[in-house]
Amino acid sequence: MTSSHKAIRSSGWKTDFLIGFPDGLFLLFFATQVIQVFPIEVQRFYTLHICIWLIGGLLVMFSAFQANKGDAEHDSALLSDKERTKLQHLDINARTIAHIEEEMEKDAHTWEQILEHEKVTETTFSRSRAIQHALLTGFFFLLGGSMSLGPYLSNENFPAASQTSIMLVFLGLTVFSFIKARITAQRPLPVILRYWLMGAGILAGVWILHKTIS
């Protein structure tokens, strides 16, 4: 891996927040709601969810690092010699290979137009910047997860903790939706309703699971 290939530049903490926070909130909200359907010891509940919380954070950080890293192999919109050789070994004729390359060039041009329209810039890969954004994304993931899991950690009365968690989750979704609407220049109400429906969908799925088991 060289340090000179292109990568899409993150827009900073905003991108990290928009990715990490809802992922953490929804994952832990789903996990905490579902696990209550089954009989489980308090300590095992804590151990299981803290593991989910931390492992999920690590996976999100790895994904964010990979996204910021880019891909040196596909900097060029044209077929590489290696790729062309592979196609030739598959007995694909020269006309078809040329057509494939033309379509790749068209796709690359379209992609450049999308990046320009969305004001997304490309820059050379920076390992330190990729690590920084990975850590920020992980932080926001843990922050979102804490809104779902936090009430259980402070209250072993799980029915009461569940009510507090639901309240915090929908409050968090509301605040997040306002921030996302402002960042992405959207109307707040549709964004809020979309995320509320996702939260309500989790609750509905858990209720159906509870009825099925009981």
Side-chain angles (χ1 to χ4, degrees), residues 6 75 77 105-118 120 122:
K6 293 188 296 182
D75 275 352
E105 288 186 87
K106 290 179 183 178
D107 290 343
H109 180 66
T110 302
W111 176 241
E112 291 293 339
Q113 288 181 322
I114 291 173
L115 293 180
E116 183 178 354
H117 180 264
E118 297 296 333
V120 177
E122 290 185 318

Side-chain angles (χ1 to χ4, degrees), residues 59-201:
L59 292 175
V60 165
M61 284 192 289
F62 177 76
S63 299
F65 177 80
Q66 291 295 111
N68 279 277
K69 187 171 66 173
D71 188 353
E73 183 180 351
H74 297 98
D75 275 352
S76 174
L78 303 177
L79 283 175
S80 66
D81 292 336
K82 184 178 179 180
E83 290 170 331
R84 187 177 290 102
T85 300
K86 286 181 179 179
L87 292 177
Q88 290 171 346
H89 286 165
L90 294 174
D91 292 331
I92 298 177
N93 60 51
R95 179 179 296 181
T96 302
I97 293 176
H99 177 70
I100 291 173
E101 192 159 14
E102 288 176 5
E103 292 300 316
M104 289 177 65
E105 288 186 87
K106 290 179 183 178
D107 290 343
H109 180 66
T110 302
W111 176 241
E112 291 293 339
Q113 288 181 322
I114 291 173
L115 293 180
E116 183 178 354
H117 180 264
E118 297 296 333
K119 298 181 180 179
V120 177
T121 58
E122 290 185 318
T123 185
T124 55
F125 168 62
S126 168
R127 184 176 298 277
S128 61
R129 185 171 58 243
I131 292 174
Q132 176 187 349
H133 288 299
L135 291 174
L136 272 176
T137 305
F139 168 76
F140 286 123
F141 177 92
L142 295 177
L143 179 63
S146 69
M147 301 196 73
S148 302
L149 182 60
Y152 297 91
L153 297 177
S154 61
N155 187 357
E156 292 186 3
N157 181 354
F158 285 174
S162 177
Q163 293 179 0
T164 305
S165 177
I166 292 172
M167 180 187 68
L168 286 178
V169 163
F170 279 88
L171 177 62
L173 289 175
T174 303
V175 174
F176 171 79
S177 298
F178 272 109
I179 296 174
K180 180 174 182 178
R182 184 174 181 84
I183 291 174
T184 58
Q186 300 181 68
R187 290 187 300 147
L189 185 58
V191 181
I192 292 172
L193 291 177
R194 182 164 68 249
Y195 280 97
W196 276 8
L197 285 174
M198 293 171 68

